[in-house]
Structures are given as structure tokens and as C-alpha cells.
Amino acid sequence: MSGEALLKAVRAGQTVEAAGLLDGMTDAERRACLPGLKELRKELRAARWSASSRMAGPALHAAGAACHTGAAGAANWIAAADMRWSQASPGVFLHVLGDREPDWLGDVAHRLAERPVTSRIPYLLLSGLVRLAGCEVPTTDAYVEGWFEHIGSTGHHGGTVVERLRQDPHLDRMIAALFDSLEVSGRAAWLFGDGPGSWYHALAQLTGEGTLDRKVIVDACVARLLRGGVPADQRVFLKLLTCLDLTRDEQRERSADWTALACEATSTVAWHAQSVLASLALDDELTPRRLAEMSSGVLFRTEKKLVRAQLILLGKVLKRDPSTAAELLPAVAQAFGHEDTEVQERALKLVERHVAALSASDGVREQLVEAAAELSPGVRIRAERLLGAGALDSAPAVLQEVLPPVPERTRLAPAPVSAAELAEEVGALLASGGDVAAFERTLDGLVRHAYGDRDGLVEALRPVVARRWWADEDPEYTHVPEHFREAPYGVEVILATLLGHVPMDTLHAAVQQGTTRGDCQHGALSRAFDARLWEVAYRVLAEPLPFLLATPTWDTGLLEPEELVDRLTAYRRLEARPGTADFAQALLRVRRDGRATAAAAAVRARTLGSPEGYRLAQWLTAEGPDLPTSRRRTSGVRILLELGELEEIQGQFPQDFRRLGRPLSVFKDRWYCPHWDEADRQHWSAVVPGRRELVAARVLGDLSSVAVDDSRRGAAILPFLAEADGEAGEAVHLCVAYGLGARHTEDRLSAVDALLVLAARGQLDAERLGGDLGQLVRRGAVKPLRLAEAIRTAAATGAYATVWSVLRDALPILLADLATDASSGTPARGLGDLLAVAADCAERSGARGDLSHLAQAAERRGSSKLVTQARRLRTALTQGVAA
């Protein structure tokens, strides 16, 4: 009867009554209650959000844990994910488990503490079990984080952080674990707090009064900094170390640690370590060898502030003690390979001042000559005069242009022969998205196998799609048809149709009416792409196609005319009716640039006598592919393009394809854009192969946003545009220009890839791109610093001449504003960085000639980066570089 009473109390949510019933039960009685509680758990799990589930949850949570007589079972029950929605309080657990043996309680405590932090086991429960068991305190991430939050909680009753720490019996063990825990460090930045009542103050006070061992705490801080981590965590432990106010003896005995931190740690930590070592060095408490070791690492860092500070320190030490030149000058020469030429010049000046102190027999001069080969060509001239003419003859000043290999078209492989092989490729496509070739090959394979053996195909596909959301039996997903009515989502609509999840009326409506989603500038491309997929899914049920007409011959989307004629011939023989959208896509993909081949295919097509044959013959003999007229428009800081009508993509084309030839307006086509899935965008160039300007103009708004609005991933389409067929005109170059000024690194890298591919293919109009960049920077759409970083990355691949050809036309536009008032004109922030890249490229490519407005910039007063780099660029263009 006690079991029935317990179950009744639990179901009613009467936690107190259930706890009272458990108090008088034996272990055997508790085990007898467990099956009923498990059945109730299954029942409530099916309706976890219901009122009854929420009411019974806490009582069930506590009763189930108490009825487990094994520690593992009790711990699993307490930590179960489905119990977290409505769990019992720590006090209830400690009451119902408090009569167990200490060893059993300790076992449960440690099992729970070993759970991941994400299990969110309450710290009060863990610490209560440890207290009842009298066992050793756990030092797992979950326990340490709970202790850390509990001690630092503002809602904690019992004094300040330092007072609560003094009262903790396990203080030393928990502090050591706090420094070791990776999980806690992720939350330490904001939980450490600030001010007199913070953790920093508390630990410093306890260390100062001797409650905590000072050496242990200092070593733990330094060790944590040496281990590395995210900058926010590093700042926490650095601030704690600063609060401890290390003595000079403590600093000196850890000089090896400061050296490692200065060379490898995050910028903030490295700066602190560098300042400590600098203080030691200037007080003669750091040996020249240790300073040289430290300098060799710091001068390799990219942070200019750290590098310049190190060169200043070396200069001070060398000035005070010239005898250290033999040990320190080779370390100074490490800066000869720095990407910033100003750093190179500082290092070379330092060598110039102290090279006379070198002995002819110490071999240091030879080391300097070897290091000087890393200098940029402009700086290398001075190094030759210093180290001896001809010393650096082996290092060529003008470098050969290096561009990536030209992408080659790849012919699509035939569709998989067996259904099992096709199913494997479907799984790979669903997992990775696939490129145009993989997508089209898989799509054609689905059509072929659905025509030949639909039942066999379905059986092969079942295990592949079993985990797709639309194949789930969960009643939560009841809107599969509506979902696929909005968009086909690639091949998923065909797969869902084959397995019976999309009805005929949904597909018929999609074929007849197109998408239900809002229109936008991408709409023409997405509608044409989607229309073919909906048609394929519809024909799979209504009238299966033997194969697809529009499957491209090449991975760029182009279709050879002879191959299309062969397919139409096979359709004629099979008496199959071509799909309207499929045939329209085939026309847009068929290659027409080889006039002789196209004419011969047109003759064959006409002899078929079918409407599609006549239409293909007419298409192949027409001039094309045509591009619409374009006009520039401005919108705020943006430069955008409008397109005129393209008449040939009208007439006999289906409605969803005619949009491709309709005018594109900057101000009218401004609707909500639902095309957030980047996987589909790579296929847009294959919708209209040979006309990438059409695609570029329609994605130009996205590309402008990566620079103006700091959006992310909009430039991912640029490499596909660069590798696509067709003219690279105004739209393509504007897209690349915006991408080079993108906020996020991955977008800038996509633009750099596109720039280099266009250059390798001989399709880069450097004058146009440079002019566009100049105008966009001038208008404020592209920030010079971002552009400088992107263009520097492109140059670093070896494309110095290409990058110079672009900057040669961009810089005069930006320098023109300075020419009007050379004494007081305020340059755009980052213009000096652009000039630095230009000077480097001019030196390394051997560029010569005049650059408009450069002389006025070089003659400005001062030694700013802009003036310094303008002078360097003028020197490179007018006086040449070392041969």
C-alpha cells in the first residue's frame, strides 16, 4: 500500500507528503516502487509542458532518486535531462537521501560532480552531499564552477567574498582547482567583478595576510597565463597578478616565464611581460643573452606596438652598453623580415648606429647580411650601402608575378548506375551541400532511377533520409507540404516526394504559381532555379521523366549543343514529353559561342520535327548570349547598378524564367529577401552560364552590405563569379570592390580569391576596379584600413604587379583631396596603409612612372605614415630599386 500511496502523492505533486512516505521505507520497499515511478516518468515525458507534468515533476524527481538503492542509478536519475524542466530543490534531495550511508552519499556526490557543466547540477546539492558524506571535495569543472558562483554570488547571505572564503574549509584545494578549471575561465571575466568586494581584492587580501600561500598563487597565475586561452580569460588572471604587486625578486626569478609570455601570449599579456623584462633589463638585472632571446621572439610578432617598443628597449641597452652589440644586433635583425617597412627601417637605423662596435672576427656582420635579404627592396638599398655593395646581390629586387592556376572546366561524370551508389551520393550532398557538378549529377540520377525503378530507389533512400526533419514521425512536424510550398530546398523536395511526404496538390500549385515567398533582387535567379526542382518533383508523381535535358556538360553550367540534341532525340524515341522548366533551363545553358558547332546542332535539331527541336534550332542560330544595358545609380554611400530589359529571355520562356530578362531597379525591387541559405547561391551562375553580369548585378546589394552594413558571408559567392563563364564587366568588378572592403575576414578572403582568379584568367580590368575602389573609399562605402588588409593579403601571394595595377588607379582619386590643401588637408584614416602596400608592390614589381597627386602628399610636413609611405612610393617609382 505504501507504494500506491507514494505514487499517488507524486502524481498529485505533493512533495512533502512523498518525502514523509519515503522516510519509513526499507530498501526493498523503495526498489518495489521504482517501476511505477519509471512508468510515470514515461507518461509525463510525452507531455512535458502540460500542467500535470510540471506539477508532478519535483516530487517524481526526488522520489525516483530516493528509490534507487544504487549510487549510479540515483545519480543518473538526478542528472537526467528530462527532469530538468521541473526538478526538486536541493533541500528536498538532501532530506530524502540524508539517511544513506556516508560512502554511498560520497559516491553519488562524486558521480554528479563528474557530469558536464551543462548538466547544471545545483551546487547546493553537491556541497550538501559532500558535507553529509564527509568525503573529499570534488575538483571537477562542474563543482568548481558551482563553488565559484556560490562564493561570489551577490545574493549570498554571510558577508563579503573575502569573509566567505576565510570560512571555507577547503579553500586551498578549491583555489588551486579554480586556476586549473577550463570551464570556470569562460565565466571568470564577469564573475570576478571589480572594486573592493571583488575576487581580485579578496584573493590579494588573503594572500597578503598569509591565509593563502603567496608563491602558490603567483605561480598559479603565471602558469595560467602560460597555458593561454581567450583574451578575456587572460585579462582576468593578468589583473589578479597585477593586484598581487610582485616584488623585484619575484619578477626576476620568473624571467624565463616573462620571456615566453612576451613571445607567445595574447597582446595584453605580452605587453605586461615585455614591460617587466624591460624594467629588469634597464636595471642590469637581465642578461644580454636573455634579452636577445626575448627580442628574437617579440620581433616576430605582428603587433607593431610590441615590436617598436622592443626596438626602443634594444636601442637604450645598446646605447648604454655598446659591448652588447655582438649579442643584440642579430636579434635586432629579426625585424628585417617584418611586414611593416617602417619597422624594417627602425631596425636598420639601429644596426647603423651600432655596427661599428662589431669585431671583424665575430661573424655578426655575416649574420646581418643574411638577415638583410628579408628587407623590402626600398630599404635594402640602404642595407647595401651599410653592409657593402654587392653583399645582397643574390636577392632579386623585382619579383616574378605569381598568380593561381587558371581554373579549368570539368566535365560532369554520368549519373550513378545503381540505386545504392546514388543513395550514397544523396547522403553526401545533404551533408555538405555539394557544388554544381555534384548537385546536377545527383538530381539527374534521381530522375533516371525514379523513371526506371522507383520502388528500388525509395528503398535505397530510406536509411539516408531517415533523420531528415520531414521524415520524422514526431507529430510536432505537421506542416511538411506547406514548408515545401514555400521553397523546394534543393533536392529535398524530390526526396520528400518520392517517400510520400509531399502531396500532388502542393506540387501542382508550386508548378503553376511558383514561390509563395517575398520577391527581391535575387528573385529572378531563385525562381528559375526553384521552378525546375518543383517540376521534377511533380513529374516524379505525375509523369516521370527518363532523364533531364538541362543537366550541364561542364561544372560551370554550360551544356554542349550536340549533347542537348542527342537528349531531345532520345526523348522523341521514348515519346517522352519534356519538362517546360527543364527545357527552358537547357536553352539558357546551351553553349552558343562556337558558331559552327551551334549551326550544325541547329540543323540536327530542326530535323527532329518537334516543337522543342524547332525552338532549339532558332535559339542556336540567334546572336548571343546578350547582356542588358546597365546604368549606375547611387543610394547613400553605395554605388549600385540598374539593368535594362533583355528581350531574348522573354517570349516563349516560362513565367519564372522571364524575370531573368526583365529590368532591375535599385529603388523598386526592395522587398524582404528570404534567400538566407548560402548553399543555393553557388548555383545561380549555372542558371545563366555565360552571363555572370546578370548574377553579379542581382547580388550587388548583398556585396555592398558586407562593406557598408558589416553583414557577414555575403561575399562567399565571389569565387564562383570569378570562375564562371561570360564577360567580367561593371557588375563583377563592383562586387569585387565591395568584397575587398568587407568588415569580416572571410568575406575579404573571398574577394581576394576572386581578384586573383580574374587576374589569372586575364579578365581583370585593373583600371576599372581601381577606379571603383577609389570612388567607394571616397564616398565612405569602403574603409581604407579594411581595403589595405585585403589588398596586402593579395600581394602577399606574389601578385605584386596585379595589386599595383589596381592601386595605380585607386590612389590618385584618394590623393586628389590632399592636393587641394597639402598643408592642412585631413587624409582618410588608413590611406597611409594603402600607400604602404602600394610602395611595397611598386618596389617588388619594378613599377616606374608618375602617379597623380603623389608628389603633393610626399611634400607634406611631418613624419606621419601617409607622408613616409608617399615618399617611399615616389622614390620607388622615380629612382628605382636595387637591381
Side-chain angles (χ1 to χ4, degrees), residues 30 75 150 285 424 577 658 704 745 752 763 785 799 820 827 864:
R30 293 186 181 192
H150 178 72
E285 297 186 76
E424 290 181 3
R577 180 174 64 87
R658 292 178 195 170
S704 69
T745 302
V752 168
Q763 298 172 341
L785 277 175
T820 59
S864 66

Side-chain angles (χ1 to χ4, degrees), residues 588 592 615 619 622-627 645-653 661 691:
L588 290 177
R592 294 188 285 169
R615 179 78 177 94
W619 182 260
E623 294 294 331
D626 295 330
L627 290 175
E645 187 175 31
L646 192 57
E647 293 184 2
E648 71 169 357
I649 309 183
Q650 298 294 318
Q652 301 180 47
F653 276 89
R691 306 183 206 239

Side-chain angles (χ1 to χ4, degrees), residues 192-272:
F192 255 78
D194 209 348
S198 69
W199 273 85
Y200 299 113
H201 174 79
L203 292 177
Q205 183 174 339
L206 292 176
T207 302
E209 66 189 28
T211 303
L212 292 173
D213 188 304
R214 179 177 178 83
K215 185 177 186 306
V216 170
I217 297 300
V218 172
D219 286 344
C221 283
V222 173
R224 190 56 194 257
L225 293 174
L226 287 169
R227 183 164 46 167
V230 297
D233 294 345
Q234 294 284 281
R235 284 192 291 269
V236 168
F237 294 102
L238 177 61
K239 185 174 180 179
L240 177 57
L241 188 64
T242 305
C243 289
L244 294 174
D245 192 19
L246 270 61
T247 65
R248 179 49 60 95
D249 289 339
E250 289 174 327
Q251 291 177 340
R252 185 172 51 253
E253 69 185 20
R254 293 174 175 82
S255 60
D257 295 330
W258 305 129
T259 300
L261 290 173
C263 297
E264 303 293 341
T266 58
S267 297
T268 305
V269 177
W271 180 258
H272 175 78

Side-chain angles (χ1 to χ4, degrees), residues 132-164:
L132 291 174
C135 63
E136 188 177 66
V137 63
T139 56
T140 62
D141 284 338
Y143 193 91
V144 173
E145 178 168 321
W147 175 85
F148 179 59
E149 294 180 359
H150 178 72
I151 292 292
S153 173
T154 57
H156 191 289
H157 299 289
T160 63
V161 172
V162 67
E163 291 170 347
R164 293 195 287 272

Side-chain angles (χ1 to χ4, degrees), residues 444-478:
D444 187 46
L446 289 171
V447 170
R448 289 175 183 269
H449 284 275
Y451 179 82
D453 182 10
R454 177 178 170 180
D455 292 340
L457 174 62
V458 169
E459 287 304 311
L461 290 174
R462 285 192 189 280
V464 175
V465 302
R467 301 179 71 90
R468 307 306 292 183
W469 69 268
W470 45 262
D472 200 317
E473 297 300 328
D474 193 321
E476 180 180 348
Y477 300 114
T478 58

Side-chain angles (χ1 to χ4, degrees), residues 414-499:
V417 175
S418 69
E421 181 184 355
L422 175 61
E424 290 181 3
E425 298 206 2
V426 167
L429 186 68
L430 292 175
S432 65
D435 54 13
V436 170
F439 178 86
E440 292 289 344
R441 182 171 181 264
T442 303
L443 181 62
D444 187 46
L446 289 171
V447 170
R448 289 175 183 269
H449 284 275
Y451 179 82
D453 182 10
R454 177 178 170 180
D455 292 340
L457 174 62
V458 169
E459 287 304 311
L461 290 174
R462 285 192 189 280
V464 175
V465 302
R467 301 179 71 90
R468 307 306 292 183
W469 69 268
W470 45 262
D472 200 317
E473 297 300 328
D474 193 321
E476 180 180 348
Y477 300 114
T478 58
H479 303 291
V480 172
E482 290 84 350
H483 179 83
F484 284 113
R485 178 65 185 85
E486 293 180 357
Y489 299 95
V491 298
E492 295 223 33
V493 68
I494 293 105
L495 299 173
T497 299
L498 285 168
L499 274 77

Side-chain angles (χ1 to χ4, degrees), residues 489 515 517-520 522-523 526 671-677 681:
Y489 299 95
T515 184
R517 299 195 294 179
D519 204 353
C520 60
H522 316 119
S526 65
W671 303 93
Y672 163 72
C673 177
H675 305 108
W676 52 268
D677 189 355
R681 299 191 176 203

